[in-house]
Amino acid sequence: MPVTTVNHEMLAVDGGTPVRKTLLPYGRQSIGDDDIQAVVDVLSSDWLTTGPKVGEFEEAFAAWVGAKHAVSFSSGTAALHGAAFAAGLKPGDEAVTTPMTFAATANCVLYQGATPVFADVSSDTLNLDPDKVAGKITPRTRAILPVDYAGHPAELDTILELADRHGLAVIEDASHALGAEYRNSRVGSIAHMTVFSFHPVKHLATGEGGMVTTDRADYAEVLRRFRNHGISSDARQRQAEGQWHYEMVLLGFNYRLTDIGCALGVSQLKKLEVNLARRRKIAARYAIAFRDLAGVTAPMVRAQANPAWHLYPIRLNLENLSADRAQIFRALRAENIGVNVHYIPVHRHPYYRDRFGYQGGEYPIAEDAYERLISLPMFHGMSDGDVEDVTRSVSKVISHYVHD
Ligand SMILES: Cc1ncc(COP(=O)(O)O)c(C=O)c1O
């Protein structure tokens, strides 16, 4: 799609007519009649939670990503907590992760009383730079938590090799990356444990929800117990066996995903391939539209990766623009394009700054990227017209502010 030159138009932020009449969000779920029916069926069944839909969703999900086990959780954050627990993180331990993520990735390390240690990202993908990770490994390190930023898989082979050399667990936060491929394998089948989120802006929505996939039966067993108070059996098993007796064997939580959520998950999973194809098509259109637009850099894709495109974060070439990110953000919002920013680097949040004494400047690549990032709308329900509105608006705003 060629970019229309629209720099003669007055920007909406300056009183001109916005490209769209209504706000296009940066992400949203698509719920069809089949999804609604699946949920309604559960509502009139015997099990609202921890019934047959849980196992059905877990089995279908494990098969889809190519893992031996999938354990559902009430959110991606709870799933991260479960994975940190299963990896054995405890006070005194360290885990290396990226600052370019949602705080939940690092928070799960803190939940276990361990310390998150950040390593800077690579400037092309904004994923953890394995060389920087290597420089952060100490005798206290127990895990590495790469994030597949925006849906582009992290450099998993190198990270797994590094982890093997040091005897570390790799917990991949693939909250953005359901359906992404790395060297022709699906994310979820590669790391020791892989975590997914089913928040409504993600590829598959269950309202709140999450999953951990793993090939290790010992991890799967601990994860199942951890999400159910540390109890060794669930209520449905006990009912089937005519038993009342149960044992709490570790300190767990109620992190269960309901049958209502799992029914929605089963139904949404059936449409995942189609939805991924749509996201990839939108990303391809954006890439063409922004290829020759001075002032922005589109996300880069490494040869071994097929991203899942949860986000479409462009970077502003601030050196060629007479406006900063805040002004461009405001101008795009005024055109009714629901842009967002992912992410404020985790160490820049007051909690992390105050607790760990970060001053800023520790992770220059992540910090420089943060000043330039704008996430454009990216969700599988976008129409061709929506995509066109985004490319037109970006072109209109950027052309207004660009200089040589
Ligand atoms: C990278 C990353 N990790 C973890 C999470 C937490 O997932 P949830 O919202 O399902 O708890 C998110 C959610 O947006 C995320 O983007």
Side-chain angles (χ1 to χ4, degrees), residues 4-25:
T4 333
T5 306
V6 282
N7 51 356
H8 55 278
E9 280 182 73
M10 189 192 278
L11 298 186
V13 77
D14 296 330
T17 309
V19 168
R20 282 178 68 91
K21 288 204 173 65
T22 56
L23 186 76
L24 178 70

Side-chain angles (χ1 to χ4, degrees), residues 26 74-80 100-105 147-149 173-176 195-199 201-202 207-210 310-311 342-343:
Y26 91 90
S74 52
S75 68
T77 303
L80 279 167
M100 187 46 76
T101 186
F102 184 57
T105 317
V147 173
D148 304 320
Y149 174 75
D173 183 345
S175 295
H176 296 184
V195 174
F196 296 91
S197 159
F198 307 136
H199 179 276
V201 294
K202 304 290 176 7
E208 299 286 356
H310 161 53
L311 302 173
H342 300 90
Y343 286 99

